[in-house]
Amino acid sequence: MATNLGDDFLVRMKKKIRIFSVWLLVLAFASLFFLFSITTNGKQLHHDTVTSSDDVAVHPYPIMPRANTPDPITRIVFIKTFKTGSTTTAAMFHRFALSRGLDVALPVALDPSTQELPFNTAMVTGRRDAYDMIVNHFVYDRAEMSRVVAGAEYVTIIRDPVAQFESAFGFFNWAQRLDIADGDAISEFLAHPDVYMGRHVKGWTQFRNGQSFQFGLAVADMDDRAAINRTIRRAADGLGLVMLTEYYDESLILLKKLLRWEYSDLIYVKQGVRTERVELADETKTRIREWNAADVALYAHFNRTFWDKVAAYGPAFDDDLATFRGVLSAAQQACIDPEPHRLPRLRDGAPDECRYLDMRCFEFTFMLRARKWSTQRQRVLRFLPFPIGMIFGL
């Protein structure tokens, strides 16, 4: 009797396993179909940049004609900082990469060390050399990054330390994550930083001098003036442009000159913008600056060099800025729904060429991953029958 019960149990288990296997097979092929469809869209975006009979390139946006600018720079490392407008900028780089079929080095999925340790080649997926771009969050290490993207221009963006710290505090929801009682959570954090600094909650690298941390300043060196100066000097020597959040459009004009891009390549829609902000007292602002002294020094240095670059640009700067803002306004009016939304949305009936303008960074990253995976589709299809066959053989 016991044997029969045991046999019945095995039969039922094998039946359930086979049913589960069928569902697994269906899901696997559905996923492959989904990846294929996304990849097709990515290829379509690449083919949307066509050439007319006059040999003048036509940009995917019909409202933004391209001139035939020679040799735009396509090998780029963007040091993506936190809460500086970097998500808006990264989306622009992602769109540029997709439209030209460029290969972007993507971080290993679900690996927090990619945002907490200096960059090394093991932090990117797939092969670890000969990429065209790095765009996602990584800690700056030019020697290692140059092994992945050789001969690149290095670009980043920074923000006034007071505004950046307040934005990070709200975005990462530190008041809740650190169990700070209701009230002035920022002041409480600054009054007792030692209580909170050791907690590795989300965004902990931004607790103090978060922007300097992204350029390689170690947590142990936050009070070391010599280490701070070395970090600034290393960034100044290695970066072709440090953009400023507070002068975003002006920064893009300098970026256009550096990369030899078109105005149309610089079209953006703001992303990651919070609707609620904390009004800080003057005393709190002073304490934030004292707590983030390295970031204050970093910002002061690159604020000076930024305006030096604007002066070196010459008298055409203001005209080029006005031209760009006209192109930007026209593109946004044609593509983006003017009604307020939490996230940017395409206008009803927007031209098909607008379809990537409102995409967020994680969506671009997923699409780029899908495009990489699609190149190995046949290998995956050859591999799938083996484990599935094992399951069915139970």
Side-chain angles (χ1 to χ4, degrees):
M1 183 68 176
T3 302
N4 292 336
L5 288 174
D7 291 342
D8 290 343
F9 174 77
L10 288 174
V11 169
R12 289 197 302 271
M13 285 300 298
K14 285 186 177 181
K15 183 177 180 180
K16 289 180 179 180
I17 289 172
R18 288 191 176 98
I19 293 173
F20 173 77
S21 301
V22 170
W23 277 110
L24 183 64
L25 181 63
V26 170
L27 288 173
F29 279 98
S31 299
L32 288 172
F33 176 79
F34 178 63
L35 293 176
F36 175 80
S37 65
I38 287 182
T39 306
T40 302
N41 287 338
K43 291 178 180 177
Q44 181 61 43
L45 177 58
H46 174 61
H47 290 304
D48 278 343
T49 302
V50 297
T51 304
S52 70
S53 58
D54 296 326
D55 250 0
V56 177
V58 179
H59 195 270
Y61 301 98
I63 54 174
M64 296 180 280
R66 288 182 60 85
N68 195 13
T69 302
D71 301 326
I73 289 177
T74 58
R75 299 182 73 78
I76 300 160
V77 173
F78 176 56
I79 308 302
K80 190 173 187 286
T81 49
F82 287 92
K83 306 315 297 173
T84 58
S86 67
T87 298
T88 299
T89 312
M92 182 179 66
F93 282 121
H94 278 135
R95 192 173 66 248
F96 183 89
L98 273 172
S99 68
R100 287 156 180 80
L102 303 178
D103 204 355
V104 179
L106 299 175
V108 175
L110 303 178
D111 183 358
S113 70
T114 60
Q115 299 180 14
E116 299 173 356
L117 298 174
F119 179 86
N120 66 72
T121 58
M123 291 179 175
V124 299
T125 59
R127 73 182 196 282
R128 290 164 185 169
D129 59 1
Y131 283 102
D132 298 303
M133 282 190 183
I134 293 175
V135 178
N136 296 76
H137 283 296
F138 290 109
V139 177
Y140 176 65
D141 186 316
R142 178 158 183 144
E144 283 291 295
M145 289 174 164
S146 65
R147 295 174 60 190
V148 176
V149 184
E153 282 287 356
Y154 285 70
V155 178
T156 191
I157 183 169
I158 61 176
R159 184 179 185 181
D160 176 85
V162 173
Q164 191 270 345
F165 184 81
E166 184 277 327
S167 183
F169 205 99
F171 175 79
F172 291 116
N173 197 15
W174 285 338
Q176 179 177 339
R177 293 179 187 277
L178 297 173
D179 298 320
I180 299 177
D182 292 341
D184 190 348
I186 292 179
S187 293
E188 165 61 23
F189 177 92
L190 294 171
H192 307 95
D194 293 342
V195 174
Y196 306 106
M197 281 295 289
R199 303 187 190 180
H200 282 208
V201 299
K202 184 176 181 181
W204 69 270
T205 63
Q206 303 300 297
F207 278 167
R208 187 182 188 194
N209 296 313
Q211 297 176 91
S212 298
F213 179 89
Q214 292 301 122
F215 298 112
L217 181 65
V219 172
D221 293 334
M222 294 293 178
D223 293 310
D224 186 333
R225 175 53 60 179
I228 293 170
N229 289 337
R230 285 195 301 272
T231 300
I232 295 173
R233 188 163 54 249
R234 185 168 56 244
D237 291 343
L239 296 165
L241 176 63
V242 177
M243 302 165 60
L244 302 180
T245 307
E246 292 76 14
Y247 301 96
Y248 192 72
D249 289 353
E250 291 86 348
S251 296
L252 293 182
I253 297 302
L254 296 179
L255 183 71
K256 175 182 181 295
K257 179 180 180 180
L258 177 69
L259 301 182
R260 300 194 294 272
W261 282 13
E262 299 288 342
Y263 291 117
S264 53
D265 296 320
L266 306 174
I267 299 304
Y268 67 88
V269 176
K270 290 183 179 180
Q271 299 191 22
V273 178
R274 292 181 303 128
T275 57
E276 297 181 1
R277 299 186 182 279
V278 176
E279 289 296 327
L280 301 173
D282 290 343
E283 180 183 355
T284 304
K285 292 179 181 178
T286 299
R287 293 171 70 183
I288 290 174
R289 292 189 187 97
E290 292 171 349
W291 177 244
N292 295 280
D295 277 3
V296 170
L298 179 84
Y299 188 85
H301 176 87
F302 286 111
N303 185 47
R304 288 193 299 270
T305 61
F306 179 88
W307 294 110
D308 288 343
K309 290 179 184 292
V310 171
Y313 193 104
F317 185 87
D318 289 339
D319 290 340
D320 289 351
L321 179 61
T323 299
F324 168 63
R325 284 176 169 163
V327 173
L328 176 65
S329 177
Q332 291 179 343
Q333 289 178 28
C335 296
I336 302 300
D337 187 342
E339 293 298 320
H341 300 288
R342 189 175 67 86
L343 298 172
R345 295 181 183 175
L346 293 183
R347 179 191 292 273
D348 290 340
D352 187 55
E353 292 83 356
C354 297
R355 65 190 181 278
Y356 295 101
L357 192 56
D358 67 333
M359 282 185 63
R360 290 164 288 174
C361 266
F362 77 88
E363 293 172 312
F364 277 116
T365 299
F366 184 81
M367 182 175 288
L368 289 166
R369 287 192 194 279
R371 191 172 68 177
K372 289 178 184 293
W373 293 337
S374 70
T375 62
Q376 302 181 15
R377 213 167 36 239
Q378 292 303 317
R379 186 183 306 173
V380 172
L381 287 172
R382 287 196 300 269
F383 174 76
L384 276 176
F386 177 68
I388 291 174
M390 289 180 64
I391 293 173
F392 273 100
L394 290 174

